[in-house]
PDB file of all heavy atoms in Angstrom:
ATOM      1  N   PHE E  14       0.498 -20.264  -6.629  1.00 82.00           N
ATOM      2  CA  PHE E  14       1.064 -20.737  -5.356  1.00 82.00           C
ATOM      3  C   PHE E  14       2.545 -20.366  -5.241  1.00 82.00           C
ATOM      4  O   PHE E  14       3.378 -21.175  -4.846  1.00 82.00           O
ATOM      5  CB  PHE E  14       0.893 -22.258  -5.205  1.00 82.00           C
ATOM      6  CG  PHE E  14      -0.498 -22.677  -4.890  1.00 82.00           C
ATOM      7  CD1 PHE E  14      -1.343 -23.127  -5.888  1.00 82.00           C
ATOM      8  CD2 PHE E  14      -0.974 -22.605  -3.600  1.00 82.00           C
ATOM      9  CE1 PHE E  14      -2.638 -23.520  -5.604  1.00 82.00           C
ATOM     10  CE2 PHE E  14      -2.279 -22.995  -3.303  1.00 82.00           C
ATOM     11  CZ  PHE E  14      -3.107 -23.449  -4.311  1.00 82.00           C
ATOM     12  N   PRO E  17       4.084 -20.148  -0.855  1.00 83.00           N
ATOM     13  CA  PRO E  17       3.475 -21.088   0.097  1.00 83.00           C
ATOM     14  C   PRO E  17       3.974 -20.835   1.512  1.00 83.00           C
ATOM     15  O   PRO E  17       5.111 -20.439   1.725  1.00 83.00           O
ATOM     16  CB  PRO E  17       3.939 -22.448  -0.415  1.00 83.00           C
ATOM     17  CG  PRO E  17       5.221 -22.171  -1.123  1.00 83.00           C
ATOM     18  CD  PRO E  17       5.081 -20.791  -1.708  1.00 83.00           C
ATOM     19  N   TRP E  27      -5.200 -22.959   1.830  1.00 82.00           N
ATOM     20  CA  TRP E  27      -5.413 -23.505   0.488  1.00 82.00           C
ATOM     21  C   TRP E  27      -4.810 -24.899   0.407  1.00 82.00           C
ATOM     22  O   TRP E  27      -3.742 -25.158   0.942  1.00 82.00           O
ATOM     23  CB  TRP E  27      -4.747 -22.611  -0.549  1.00 82.00           C
ATOM     24  CG  TRP E  27      -5.486 -21.330  -0.814  1.00 82.00           C
ATOM     25  CD1 TRP E  27      -5.897 -20.412   0.100  1.00 82.00           C
ATOM     26  CD2 TRP E  27      -5.879 -20.838  -2.080  1.00 82.00           C
ATOM     27  NE1 TRP E  27      -6.524 -19.369  -0.521  1.00 82.00           N
ATOM     28  CE2 TRP E  27      -6.519 -19.600  -1.866  1.00 82.00           C
ATOM     29  CE3 TRP E  27      -5.741 -21.291  -3.375  1.00 82.00           C
ATOM     30  CZ2 TRP E  27      -7.029 -18.831  -2.895  1.00 82.00           C
ATOM     31  CZ3 TRP E  27      -6.242 -20.531  -4.402  1.00 82.00           C
ATOM     32  CH2 TRP E  27      -6.895 -19.309  -4.166  1.00 82.00           C
ATOM     33  N   ARG E  28      -5.473 -25.776  -0.348  1.00 86.00           N
ATOM     34  CA  ARG E  28      -4.942 -27.113  -0.561  1.00 86.00           C
ATOM     35  C   ARG E  28      -3.832 -27.027  -1.605  1.00 86.00           C
ATOM     36  O   ARG E  28      -4.023 -26.553  -2.706  1.00 86.00           O
ATOM     37  CB  ARG E  28      -6.027 -28.074  -1.019  1.00 86.00           C
ATOM     38  CG  ARG E  28      -5.546 -29.512  -1.094  1.00 86.00           C
ATOM     39  CD  ARG E  28      -6.672 -30.505  -1.049  1.00 86.00           C
ATOM     40  NE  ARG E  28      -7.597 -30.331   0.061  1.00 86.00           N
ATOM     41  CZ  ARG E  28      -7.390 -30.794   1.292  1.00 86.00           C
ATOM     42  NH1 ARG E  28      -6.280 -31.425   1.584  1.00 86.00           N
ATOM     43  NH2 ARG E  28      -8.294 -30.590   2.231  1.00 86.00           N
ATOM     44  N   TYR E  29      -2.656 -27.465  -1.219  1.00 85.00           N
ATOM     45  CA  TYR E  29      -1.469 -27.414  -2.076  1.00 85.00           C
ATOM     46  C   TYR E  29      -1.431 -28.644  -2.976  1.00 85.00           C
ATOM     47  O   TYR E  29      -2.209 -29.573  -2.808  1.00 85.00           O
ATOM     48  CB  TYR E  29      -0.227 -27.328  -1.175  1.00 85.00           C
ATOM     49  CG  TYR E  29       1.015 -26.794  -1.836  1.00 85.00           C
ATOM     50  CD1 TYR E  29       1.031 -25.553  -2.451  1.00 85.00           C
ATOM     51  CD2 TYR E  29       2.190 -27.543  -1.841  1.00 85.00           C
ATOM     52  CE1 TYR E  29       2.176 -25.066  -3.044  1.00 85.00           C
ATOM     53  CE2 TYR E  29       3.342 -27.053  -2.432  1.00 85.00           C
ATOM     54  CZ  TYR E  29       3.325 -25.821  -3.032  1.00 85.00           C
ATOM     55  OH  TYR E  29       4.453 -25.339  -3.631  1.00 85.00           O
ATOM     56  N   ARG E  30      -0.517 -28.647  -3.934  1.00 81.00           N
ATOM     57  CA  ARG E  30      -0.409 -29.747  -4.899  1.00 81.00           C
ATOM     58  C   ARG E  30      -0.257 -31.118  -4.241  1.00 81.00           C
ATOM     59  O   ARG E  30      -0.758 -32.109  -4.755  1.00 81.00           O
ATOM     60  CB  ARG E  30       0.804 -29.520  -5.806  1.00 81.00           C
ATOM     61  CG  ARG E  30       0.679 -28.306  -6.661  1.00 81.00           C
ATOM     62  CD  ARG E  30       1.945 -28.103  -7.475  1.00 81.00           C
ATOM     63  NE  ARG E  30       2.034 -26.706  -7.808  1.00 81.00           N
ATOM     64  CZ  ARG E  30       3.120 -25.979  -7.737  1.00 81.00           C
ATOM     65  NH1 ARG E  30       4.248 -26.518  -7.362  1.00 81.00           N
ATOM     66  NH2 ARG E  30       3.093 -24.721  -8.052  1.00 81.00           N
ATOM     67  N   ASP E  31       0.463 -31.171  -3.151  1.00 83.00           N
ATOM     68  CA  ASP E  31       0.711 -32.461  -2.495  1.00 83.00           C
ATOM     69  C   ASP E  31      -0.389 -32.835  -1.499  1.00 83.00           C
ATOM     70  O   ASP E  31      -0.263 -33.822  -0.766  1.00 83.00           O
ATOM     71  CB  ASP E  31       2.073 -32.461  -1.808  1.00 83.00           C
ATOM     72  CG  ASP E  31       2.196 -31.410  -0.716  1.00 83.00           C
ATOM     73  OD1 ASP E  31       1.188 -30.728  -0.427  1.00 83.00           O
ATOM     74  OD2 ASP E  31       3.294 -31.262  -0.151  1.00 83.00           O
ATOM     75  N   GLY E  32      -1.481 -32.077  -1.458  1.00 86.00           N
ATOM     76  CA  GLY E  32      -2.604 -32.405  -0.604  1.00 86.00           C
ATOM     77  C   GLY E  32      -2.610 -31.699   0.744  1.00 86.00           C
ATOM     78  O   GLY E  32      -3.620 -31.722   1.455  1.00 86.00           O
ATOM     79  N   ARG E  33      -1.508 -31.064   1.131  1.00 88.00           N
ATOM     80  CA  ARG E  33      -1.461 -30.335   2.406  1.00 88.00           C
ATOM     81  C   ARG E  33      -2.249 -29.040   2.291  1.00 88.00           C
ATOM     82  O   ARG E  33      -2.336 -28.452   1.220  1.00 88.00           O
ATOM     83  CB  ARG E  33      -0.015 -29.983   2.778  1.00 88.00           C
ATOM     84  CG  ARG E  33       0.869 -31.158   3.052  1.00 88.00           C
ATOM     85  CD  ARG E  33       2.289 -30.729   3.387  1.00 88.00           C
ATOM     86  NE  ARG E  33       2.874 -29.998   2.263  1.00 88.00           N
ATOM     87  CZ  ARG E  33       3.630 -28.889   2.392  1.00 88.00           C
ATOM     88  NH1 ARG E  33       3.908 -28.406   3.582  1.00 88.00           N
ATOM     89  NH2 ARG E  33       4.121 -28.295   1.337  1.00 88.00           N
ATOM     90  N   VAL E  34      -2.822 -28.600   3.399  1.00 90.00           N
ATOM     91  CA  VAL E  34      -3.485 -27.294   3.459  1.00 90.00           C
ATOM     92  C   VAL E  34      -2.468 -26.322   4.045  1.00 90.00           C
ATOM     93  O   VAL E  34      -1.922 -26.543   5.129  1.00 90.00           O
ATOM     94  CB  VAL E  34      -4.756 -27.347   4.323  1.00 90.00           C
ATOM     95  CG1 VAL E  34      -5.382 -25.962   4.425  1.00 90.00           C
ATOM     96  CG2 VAL E  34      -5.749 -28.334   3.736  1.00 90.00           C
ATOM     97  N   ILE E  35      -2.185 -25.258   3.293  1.00 88.00           N
ATOM     98  CA  ILE E  35      -1.134 -24.308   3.672  1.00 88.00           C
ATOM     99  C   ILE E  35      -1.674 -22.885   3.668  1.00 88.00           C
ATOM    100  O   ILE E  35      -2.736 -22.604   3.120  1.00 88.00           O
ATOM    101  CB  ILE E  35       0.067 -24.393   2.703  1.00 88.00           C
ATOM    102  CG1 ILE E  35      -0.387 -24.035   1.285  1.00 88.00           C
ATOM    103  CG2 ILE E  35       0.724 -25.753   2.750  1.00 88.00           C
ATOM    104  CD1 ILE E  35       0.727 -23.708   0.344  1.00 88.00           C
TER     105      ILE E  35
END
Side-chain angles (χ1 to χ4, degrees):
F14 286 98
W27 285 53
R28 187 159 308 277
Y29 200 56
R30 295 177 204 136
D31 61 5
R33 295 179 299 139
V34 177
I35 61 164

